[in-house]
Every structure is written in structure tokens, then in C-alpha cells.
Amino acid sequence: MNWIDKLDRKFGRHSISHLMYGISAVMLIVYFANLLTRGTVYHLLAFNRSLIFSGQIWRAITFLILPPNNSPIWILFSLYFYCLIGNGLEQEWGSFRFNLFYLIGALGAIISGFLTGYAVNDYLNFSMFLAFAAIYPDFQILVFFVLPIQVKYLAILDVVFYAFSFISGTFSTRIAILMALLNVILFFGSDFYHHLKGESGYRQTRNNWRNFYRQ
């Protein structure tokens, strides 16, 4: 039994089911509130280390619920996609494990913000997509609502993009990417390590990682 199993047995009853429904709903509310206030809400909720130390402590958390974009069309698509991948992970892992995965990524984003002064939720959302692609590599989505493509190919493109951002970005960007991906490392690091060593396993996620990198 690994450390996640132990935590699940002890705290699993306190987990939140359909977590991404709640987070996406809050993001949508923030989006419309920001429209009504002409950008004031985003400004009040964004991470700002100096203002946090000045007493606006809510900013240490509220940046996590900022919507991913400002487009009225893409905001709905993005939030739908968050619900899709969140529910997919929750179905595979159970509510507690998904809650833990999201919490670790969120804490990583918060820590990077206090270390560097820079914090966004983009990399946390990216980590969810990576996990979803690892578990459901052949799942198809419609890009631009027309072109069907398997998520493993989108994941590869995203990895290339974020790898470039890590290499060419500032120190703050690099720390933000690393810290927000702590959840991926903790949940999949062991399986990826065994895959690189060529060892076989029986767990479904391990088999998925193998298929993901071979195809």
C-alpha cells in the first residue's frame, strides 16, 4: 500500500465529489462578475505577493479560480473541457485521489508565487490535462468542434510548448511550471521510472504510460 492509499483510507470520506463542477462554476461566476465590473474582479483576485503581505491574503488562493480566458465562446469550451478531464480522472482514481492531485498542484502554484512573486493557474490546469492524456491517451476530442484528434497528440504538443516556455522563460516561469507539476511527478513518477527501466507492471496507469509513449 503506497502513501496515497494510506491517505485515502484515513481521509477519503472527506473528499469532494465532482470537484471540477464546483471550480468551473465559480470560474464562470467570476467571469461574468468581471464583465460587469470591467476588469475589476480579476484585478482583485489575481496573485500579488506584495499585496498579500500587506493584508490582502485572499489573493494567495483566489488566483486559482480566475477563468482561463476572456472569450465568451472559449470560456464555455474551456470550462466544459475542465469538467470533462476532471471527471475522467475522478472516475479512474476516485474522488479523494483526484482531490489530492488537484490540491498538490494548487499548493505548488501557491508556493511558487511566494518564492518568485509570480503565480497563475495555467500550469495547474495543464497538469490535469497531462494526467488525463496519460490515462486516456486514445480519447478523442473535436478541435474547433470539427477536427477529431486523440488527446495524446495534443499532450505532446503541450509538452513541447511548455518545455520551450521552461527553457526560454524567466526564473519565475520555470519555478511556476515545476511547482505546479508536482502532482504529476508524485502520481506518475514511479510508473514513468519503471517504464524507462523497461519493467512490466499490472497497474492500469503504468500500462497507459507505456502505450502513451510508444505510440
Side-chain angles (χ1 to χ4, degrees):
M1 180 179 295
N2 60 30
W3 64 277
I4 299 178
D5 294 323
K6 294 178 181 178
L7 289 175
D8 195 354
R9 289 189 60 181
K10 189 173 183 179
F11 302 107
R13 64 183 181 276
H14 302 299
S15 61
I16 302 173
S17 298
H18 304 298
L19 176 64
M20 286 311 299
Y21 281 149
I23 293 175
S24 297
V26 173
M27 284 184 173
L28 190 60
I29 293 172
V30 171
Y31 172 78
F32 284 115
N34 191 64
L35 286 181
L36 294 175
T37 59
R38 298 184 179 182
T40 301
V41 169
Y42 279 18
H43 177 72
L44 289 175
L45 300 183
F47 188 95
N48 187 308
R49 186 172 58 182
S50 61
L51 292 179
I52 291 173
F53 289 148
S54 298
Q56 299 183 18
I57 58 175
W58 65 85
R59 293 177 180 271
I61 298 176
T62 53
F63 77 95
L64 296 170
I65 58 172
L66 291 177
N69 52 64
N70 293 319
S71 167
I73 296 178
W74 284 106
I75 184 65
L76 295 177
F77 173 78
S78 299
L79 295 183
Y80 166 77
F81 191 62
Y82 289 167
C83 290
L84 175 69
I85 62 179
N87 288 339
L89 293 174
E90 188 171 332
Q91 181 178 358
E92 176 69 20
W93 288 336
S95 297
F96 175 78
R97 291 182 181 228
F98 176 65
N99 285 189
L100 182 62
F101 179 87
Y102 192 89
L103 176 62
I104 293 173
L107 289 176
I110 293 170
I111 292 172
S112 71
F114 281 108
L115 290 176
T116 68
Y118 171 73
V120 292
N121 60 15
D122 302 52
Y123 307 122
L124 169 59
N125 299 328
F126 170 62
S127 72
M128 287 197 303
F129 177 63
L130 278 185
F132 182 85
I135 294 174
Y136 305 102
D138 297 323
F139 185 88
Q140 285 192 344
I141 63 173
L142 295 178
V143 178
F144 302 116
F145 307 102
V146 175
L147 179 64
I149 187 170
Q150 294 177 332
V151 295
K152 60 187 175 185
Y153 300 119
L154 292 177
I156 291 173
L157 291 176
D158 280 350
V159 167
V160 171
F161 171 76
Y162 282 103
F164 177 79
S165 298
F166 181 85
I167 294 172
S168 62
T170 63
F171 174 76
S172 298
T173 300
R174 294 171 182 171
I175 295 298
I177 292 174
L178 286 177
M179 295 300 290
L181 294 180
L182 282 177
N183 48 14
V184 175
I185 296 171
L186 290 174
F187 273 67
F188 294 99
S190 176
D191 293 334
F192 183 57
Y193 171 75
H194 288 297
H195 167 68
L196 290 178
K197 290 182 63 177
E199 298 177 3
S200 61
Y202 299 98
R203 290 169 50 187
Q204 182 64 35
T205 53
R206 184 172 302 174
N207 291 331
N208 284 330
W209 272 111
R210 184 179 297 111
N211 292 333
F212 179 72
Y213 281 98
R214 281 182 178 177
Q215 297 180 33

